[in-house]
Amino acid sequence: TSMLTDLVDEQEQNDSTVLLGVLHEAIESALTPTERKVMILHYGLDGQGEHPLREVSRIVSGNSTSNIATGMYRRAIPKLRRQMDQLIS
């Protein structure tokens, strides 16, 4: 590979690392503990793989319907967007 390709690949990796750090910071600062758990489980941010919302609901509340996790997910997304906008700007 060329030096330019190596530099671009390294920059992309650095950008991804920075964005992942911002996402984790936003999750920690903007969400309730339960919303945090829903997002981490659903997107596999703990390194354990992604889980469907139905399974996340079962883990979080013991209820196998996805309504509980879906509601938390829908509330968490706008909070995360606002927090990430603040952290990035």
Side-chain angles (χ1 to χ4, degrees):
T1 62
S2 73
M3 273 185 116
L4 181 58
T5 303
D6 291 341
L7 286 173
V8 169
D9 289 345
E10 185 177 320
Q11 184 60 45
E12 287 177 357
Q13 186 176 5
N14 289 342
D15 291 348
S16 294
T17 301
V18 168
L19 283 175
L20 191 54
V22 170
L23 176 60
H24 279 284
E25 187 175 336
I27 287 171
E28 288 297 317
S29 62
L31 303 182
T32 67
T34 306
E35 290 170 337
R36 196 175 307 138
K37 188 169 187 174
V38 166
M39 299 304 284
I40 289 169
L41 289 169
H42 183 59
Y43 287 107
L45 299 174
D46 58 356
Q48 301 298 311
E50 298 177 0
H51 300 279
L53 287 173
R54 181 177 297 262
E55 186 177 339
V56 172
S57 284
R58 185 184 52 72
I59 293 168
V60 170
S61 70
N63 187 334
S64 63
T65 65
S66 62
N67 296 343
I68 293 163
T70 301
M72 287 185 218
Y73 172 83
R74 287 186 177 151
R75 286 189 302 276
I77 290 293
K79 289 180 181 181
L80 282 176
R81 284 189 181 132
R82 283 190 301 274
Q83 187 66 20
M84 287 186 72
D85 285 344
Q86 290 176 2
L87 292 170
I88 292 172
S89 28

